[in-house]
Amino acid sequence: MVAGLAPGEAIVNPDKMFSDNNIEMRINRVNSIDSKKKQITLDDGKTISYDKLVLGMGASPFMPPIDGVDNNGVFSLRALGDAEKIRNYMETRNPSKLVFVGAGFISLEVAALVKDMKGKNYQVDVIELMDHPLPLMLDPEMGKTIHTHLVDNGFRMHMGRRVEKILGENGQVTGVQLDDGQSVDADMVFMNVGARPNLELAENAGIEMGRFGIRVNEFLETSDPDIMAGGDCIDNYHFITKRSAGTQLRGPAVIQGRLIAKRLAGYEIPFPGLLGNSAVKIFDKHVAATGFSETQAREEGFEPVSATVESRSKHAMIPGVQPWTLKLVFDKKTHKLLGGQIISSSGEPVKEIDAVNALIVGGKTIADLTTFMCAGNPDCSSEPSAEPITLAAEQALQKAGKPA
Ligand SMILES: Cc1cc2nc3c(=O)[nH]c(=O)nc-3n(C[C@H](O)[C@H](O)[C@H](O)COP(=O)(O)OP(=O)(O)OC[C@H]3O[C@@H](n4cnc5c(N)ncnc54)[C@H](O)[C@@H]3O)c2cc1C
């Protein structure tokens, strides 16, 4: 929407979807929950009684408490209203120097879309605390490919740098100051450095909290038997370790919403945990990841074995063939698949991350993956002999040897 690709109305579902299904949609803020009376109170003072209550309050962008974040021209992006404010500012103020704080997928996606806008010539600076872009998705060497791609597209990258202060004059942003003393000019600053779950409502209702949000069991039930919760506001857990995970993504929120509905209808399907499957398009590069990166696997206590394979979107002889790279990460002890990362110059291969995802869910090992067979066709897949999942497994087998 900010880059003019979609109008606001295209993003919001029509109320008809609800009314056709006998659901009354009320646009209002819930101010409090009285779990004893089983009642919620809305902003206008009205109350609604419930038998079962489902909480899906999402998260809000985290604004670090640094000097100058309240200057005019400093934005974060969460909802449609934020996008409208950003677009309005860009149309009326005509900024030319844009600074993106954080090199996660939201920052980079917006930065690439905006940079590509016709008739504009923005100077774009990206500042990131870690030493490479997309640090939650990619290992350093994979991140370097994206770093080069961004530099090639005119971005100025400041990796391993912290923003100390937002600079301003008369309340209007003029730049950011970095921890090495350098300052970067800015007419507009995007802060996208993570989101915090919206918990106030649940906390005030006395619902138990976990490490990253509302504590739920595998059926998404909270400490109150009549209140369920899902999405960005809950304490999610990782599929592999079963430990708390702060990952906030759309896929799990959708599946959790459906699971809550099934639970209310009497089904007993547990939520399996998150793998953090995510994808992003940056200019003409497509990036996708699932499970643990090698860095994360090490942090989680595994001894990882990894393999990286250069592949092709089609058979080498077919016009339009594009390169892509797959990295797989395994656990040396059990040989189980722990994660995968893809960087591709065309859209199709990113979906292979879903195959990687399914293989992790299935508990597959290096040996299993050496016999993994994919559909092959010259015009829509690499040659079977160059299929990257099996090639990565062959490489990993040599590195890891026979399982202990
Ligand atoms: C710019 C952007 C791009 C993203 N892109 C991707 C992507 O490509 N892929 C991906 O997997 N994820 C993406 N995400 C993350 C994804 O949007 C979230 O993980 C997902 O929306 C979480 O769903 P949710 O229902 O938990 O919360 P939300 O979608 O945030 O919905 C929560 C809703 O609850 C409302 N609410 C909160 N408190 C109250 C209250 N007291 N009373 C009434 N209503 C209340 C909020 O206003 C909000 O509308 C992106 C996020 C952003 C910000």
Side-chain angles (χ1 to χ4, degrees), residues 25-306:
M25 174 84 174
R26 298 199 197 182
I27 310 285
N28 214 319
R29 185 185 162 77
V30 178
N31 273 341
S32 63
I33 302 167
D34 186 331
S35 54
K36 291 208 178 67
K37 284 193 191 155
K38 296 185 43 169
Q39 230 174 35
I40 56 168
T41 306
L42 305 181
D43 221 11
D44 58 11
K46 290 195 179 118
T47 57
I48 302 176
S49 299
Y50 65 82
D51 294 324
K52 294 279 179 187
L53 181 64
V54 178
L55 302 177
M57 288 98 59
S60 300
F62 171 63
M63 278 295 205
I66 49 176
D67 258 15
V69 281
D70 48 358
N71 271 309
N72 189 35
V74 180
F75 295 94
S76 61
L77 176 59
R78 179 77 207 177
L80 203 55
D82 302 320
E84 270 161 0
K85 278 187 211 153
I86 291 168
R87 189 178 60 178
N88 183 40
Y89 182 91
M90 293 180 90
E91 283 171 359
T92 54
R93 289 255 175 183
N94 214 10
S96 63
K97 296 170 199 147
L98 313 181
V99 170
F100 289 81
V101 182
F105 73 81
I106 293 176
S107 250
L108 295 186
E109 199 160 41
V110 175
L113 283 171
V114 167
K115 179 90 178 153
D116 252 2
M117 277 164 79
K118 286 198 182 74
K120 305 279 179 189
N121 189 20
Y122 295 113
Q123 174 183 302
V124 174
D125 286 88
V126 179
I127 298 153
E128 165 61 50
L129 199 59
M130 306 301 279
D131 66 358
H132 65 280
L134 300 174
L136 294 180
M137 292 175 77
L138 300 176
D139 280 314
E141 80 287 359
M142 297 285 277
K144 253 190 199 109
T145 308
I146 297 303
H147 186 279
T148 307
H149 186 57
L150 293 170
V151 171
D152 289 347
N153 278 282
F155 282 24
R156 303 197 307 194
M157 303 293 286
H158 310 263
M159 299 296 101
R161 292 268 75 90
R162 180 195 297 276
V163 171
E164 295 267 289
K165 197 174 175 184
I166 308 277
L167 306 168
E169 266 173 39
N170 303 323
Q172 173 64 37
V173 72
T174 57
V176 296
Q177 190 177 311
L178 310 186
D179 57 352
D180 59 357
Q182 190 195 165
S183 59
V184 178
D185 289 345
D187 306 321
M188 187 170 184
V189 172
F190 289 81
M191 302 281 293
N192 294 297
V193 293
R196 297 283 182 270
N198 295 322
L199 299 176
E200 206 184 330
L201 201 58
E203 277 170 343
N204 290 343
I207 294 168
E208 267 177 39
M209 294 294 143
R211 185 166 168 220
F212 293 108
I214 300 170
R215 187 190 295 284
V216 291
N217 65 14
E218 59 193 333
F219 299 112
L220 303 158
E221 293 158 336
T222 71
S223 54
D224 182 315
D226 295 316
I227 302 181
M228 303 183 77
D232 285 0
C233 65
I234 67 166
D235 182 37
N236 271 299
Y237 56 91
H238 202 275
F239 174 81
I240 296 173
T241 59
K242 307 294 177 216
R243 287 197 287 270
S244 285
T247 316
Q248 295 168 330
L249 290 165
R250 202 165 110 181
V254 169
I255 297 299
Q256 287 168 353
R258 289 187 192 151
L259 269 184
I260 288 173
K262 289 192 194 75
R263 182 67 172 162
L264 291 172
Y267 291 87
E268 288 217 354
I269 305 174
F271 182 69
L274 303 174
L275 277 169
N277 334 38
S278 49
V280 60
K281 179 171 176 275
I282 303 167
F283 296 111
D284 55 354
K285 287 263 189 267
H286 302 252
V287 183
T290 188
F292 291 134
S293 66
E294 194 173 350
T295 315
Q296 290 160 346
R298 204 165 282 119
E299 284 164 5
E300 292 289 338
F302 294 97
E303 190 186 340
V305 175
S306 71

